[in-house]
């Protein structure tokens, strides 16, 4: 079965939906999403969306905080652009129906998180992402030009490789014509042809054992682009959130937003002592890489599996009204946050690198654009400033949409694209093989490619991954496609890229910390 649309979007989080709402005024849009339309990283965002909205904040301060957090690795041009353009695009989210909390005087109630020198984070209680996702879905569902296909899994983007061109001389010669998509409702692989394609497939957290990300975050888009010979960069910069709720076995790990530390909560070791001042003068509100590493160190010194976050000294009424979801979640586990410390530990949270894009969201592949967490725009450098990712997503979705609107009419649909060929494949004999390989992958990444790295650990990870890679490729070649098998294959691909790029970096910078090269190189 073949389908033709002007704009194909893979992913229904903030990036995909924002892009969709803009291009839908000009042509036919198809959004595909691999599970329910609202099961995205976006939906779980707690703290909020960062932007300069009022004095005494300024663009200069937001730029400086972003650059400082990125540890010398941000692209200053991109930082300036995103900081300048974010307020206008957030205003658009508000016009589209998103509610952000206000104070009694009618001004926005701005929160503060690690690495920010000002209160500048717009939020909706402690479930900002849920509110943004709700508003965007409601608007997208009403648009007659937008078709949303849930439980549709993008297997691969279609390029010249599928037309039998085996030799492409340079990465920049690849063109994208659409995607092969598994309709998970009937197990048929459909061909979706498009004039422009926007990849917004989100993060990679699930390659680790402990993550704040929902199970959709397996790096599919990045792996698809890498397989198509597109440029992928900065994969070694994986951000661990310092404070996920310690509740063994819970996936995804429930986040305790950094905004709670911005509100005054303090990190303590298991014997109740404050420790962050030993690591950074900003204490519990230092940038995430520093806080996560400090917690990791304290846990290792003491043999503990968590540290505590103490909110017991804060105003009870305000605490509950600002953080109702955290309050309720902790209460469901018999933790009364107004009286008890909250056990927390770091968890894989965000990927700073990904598919390389330019200022207009274009990838190295023609007709292919990317935005949101799967993209590497240059904004975050070696460590993302908290709440900058939602702002980045709207800015790049907007910019990419404007370029796609200006070019799509001149792009013909590609002819003679073959349908997916699964001749000779059969159902995998035991699905447990896939589940087990995924678990092994998560163990490898957690034990050897975590917050603190070394050459020895990275080499071990690489060798063990090779076996998983071979076994999975062999299974993939002979098996009928399933979402779980593709996810495993993609996740292995992502792990490979992280390890490869981490091995190449002979310094410690931002989120990449290695005991073999503890200092930074000059750039
Ligand atoms: P997502 O929202 O993750 O959407 C990805 C979409 O791609 C999904 O619809 C998924 O189904 C689809 N998809 C993936 N693969 C395929 C495939 N093969 N086929 C079809 N569809 C596919 N950032 C902030 O700025 N502020 C915060 O306060 C904040 N809090 C966070 C809290 C948590 C717990 C988490 C997990 C993240 C948080 N982040 C925060 C990060 C931020 O939420 C994400 O970076 C952002 O939402 C990513 O949006 P996205 O549109 O790129 O991807
Ligand atoms: C949080 O609320 O702590 C998460 C914010 C982010 O990841 O940007």
């Amino acid at each position: 079965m073949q389908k033709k649309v002007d704009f194909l979007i893979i992913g229904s989080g903030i990036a995909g939906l924002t892009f969709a709402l803009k291009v839908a005024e000009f042509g036919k849009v198809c959004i595909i999403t691999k599970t329910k339309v609202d099961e995205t990283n976006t939906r779980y965002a707690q703290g909020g969306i960062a932007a300069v909205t009022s004095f005494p904040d300024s663009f200069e301060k937001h730029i400086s905080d972003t650059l400082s957090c990125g540890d010398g690795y941000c692209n200053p041009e991109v930082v300036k652009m995103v900081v300048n353009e974010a307020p206008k695009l957030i205003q658009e989210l508000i016009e589209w129906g998103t509610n952000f909390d206000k104070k009694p005087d009618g001004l926005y109630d701005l929160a503060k998180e690690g690495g920010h020198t000002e209160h500048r984070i717009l939020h909706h209680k402690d479930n900002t992402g849920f509110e943004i996702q709700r508003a965007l879905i409601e608007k997208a569902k009403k648009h007659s030009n937008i078709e949303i296909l849930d439980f549709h899994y993008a297997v691969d983007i279609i390029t010249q490789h599928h037309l039998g061109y085996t030799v492409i001389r340079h990465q920049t010669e690849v063109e994208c014509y659409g995607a092969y998509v598994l309709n998970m409702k009937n197990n048929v692989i459909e061909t979706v042809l498009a004039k422009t394609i926007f990849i917004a497939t989100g993060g990679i957290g699930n390659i680790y054992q402990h993550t704040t990300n929902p199970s959709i975050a397996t790096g599919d888009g990045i792996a698809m682009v890498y397989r198509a010979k597109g440029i992928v960069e900065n994969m070694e910069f994986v951000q661990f959130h310092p404070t996920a709720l310690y509740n063994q076995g819970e996936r995804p790990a429930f986040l305790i937003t950094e905004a709670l530390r911005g509100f005054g909560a303090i990190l303590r070791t298991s014997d109740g002592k404050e420790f962050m001042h030993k690591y950074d003068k900003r204490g519990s509100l230092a940038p995430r890489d520093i806080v996560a590493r400090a917690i990791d160190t304290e846990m290792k010194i003491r043999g503990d599996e968590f540290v505590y976050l103490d909110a017991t000294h804060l105003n009870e009424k305000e605490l509950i009204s600002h953080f109702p979801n955290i309050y309720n979640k902790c209460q469901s586990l018999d933790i009364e946050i107004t009286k008890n410390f909250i056990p927390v530990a770091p968890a894989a949270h965000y990927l700073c690198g990904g598919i390389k894009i330019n200022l207009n969201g274009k990838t190295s592949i023609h007709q292919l654009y990317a935005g949101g967490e799967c993209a590497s725009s240059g904004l975050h450098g070696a460590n993302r400033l908290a709440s900058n990712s939602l702002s980045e997503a709207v800015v790049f979705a907007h910019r990419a949409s404007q370029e796609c609107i200006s070019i799509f009419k001149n792009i013909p649909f590609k002819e003679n694209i073959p349908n997916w060929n699964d001749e000779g494949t059969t159902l995998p004999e035991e699905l447990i093989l896939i589940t087990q390989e995924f678990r092994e992958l998560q163990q490898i990444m957690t034990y050897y490619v975590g917050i603190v790295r070394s050459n020895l650990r990275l080499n071990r990870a690489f060798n063990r991954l090779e076996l998983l890679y071979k076994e999975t490729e062999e299974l993939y070649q002979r098996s009928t496609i399933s979402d779980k098998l593709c996810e495993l294959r993609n996740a292995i691909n992502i792990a490979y890229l992280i390890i490869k790029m981490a091995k190449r970096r002979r310094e410690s910078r931002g989120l990449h910390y290695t005991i073999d090269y503890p200092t930074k190189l000059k750039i």
Side-chain angles (χ1 to χ4, degrees), residues 287-306:
R288 263 180 212 173
D289 54 338
I290 297 168
V291 182
R293 230 166 16 245
I295 293 177
D296 188 67
T297 306
E298 292 294 333
M299 289 186 342
K300 280 182 179 145
I301 291 172
R302 286 154 211 279
D304 287 341
E305 294 196 352
F306 54 83

Side-chain angles (χ1 to χ4, degrees), residues 443-461:
Q443 279 170 2
I444 293 169
M445 293 306 286
T446 302
Y447 297 136
Y448 300 124
V449 200
I451 295 172
V452 176
R453 299 168 181 175
S454 72
N455 288 340
L456 180 73
R457 290 184 201 172
L458 291 176
N459 285 333
R460 283 203 175 176

Side-chain angles (χ1 to χ4, degrees), residues 266-278 284 298 302 304 306-313 340-342:
I266 295 164
L267 285 162
R268 298 184 186 280
T269 45
S270 51
D271 52 3
K273 294 207 174 81
E274 281 189 50
F275 59 90
M276 269 314 300
H277 57 280
K278 288 194 285 179
S284 292
E298 292 294 333
R302 286 154 211 279
D304 287 341
F306 54 83
V307 294
Y308 284 119
L309 189 60
D310 171 12
T312 57
H313 54 288
N340 310 129
F341 295 169
I342 310 167

Side-chain angles (χ1 to χ4, degrees), residues 402-436:
Q402 300 311 295
E403 186 159 307
C404 290
I405 290 164
S406 73
I407 61 169
F408 84 100
K409 286 210 170 108
N410 298 324
I411 300 171
F413 289 113
K414 192 75 181 170
E415 300 296 331
N416 303 323
I417 299 288
N419 283 332
W420 184 264
N421 181 0
D422 58 2
E423 242 176 56
T425 59
T426 52
L427 282 175
E429 52 276 21
E430 289 182 309
L431 283 178
I432 187 70
L433 292 179
I434 296 173
T435 322
Q436 188 50 32

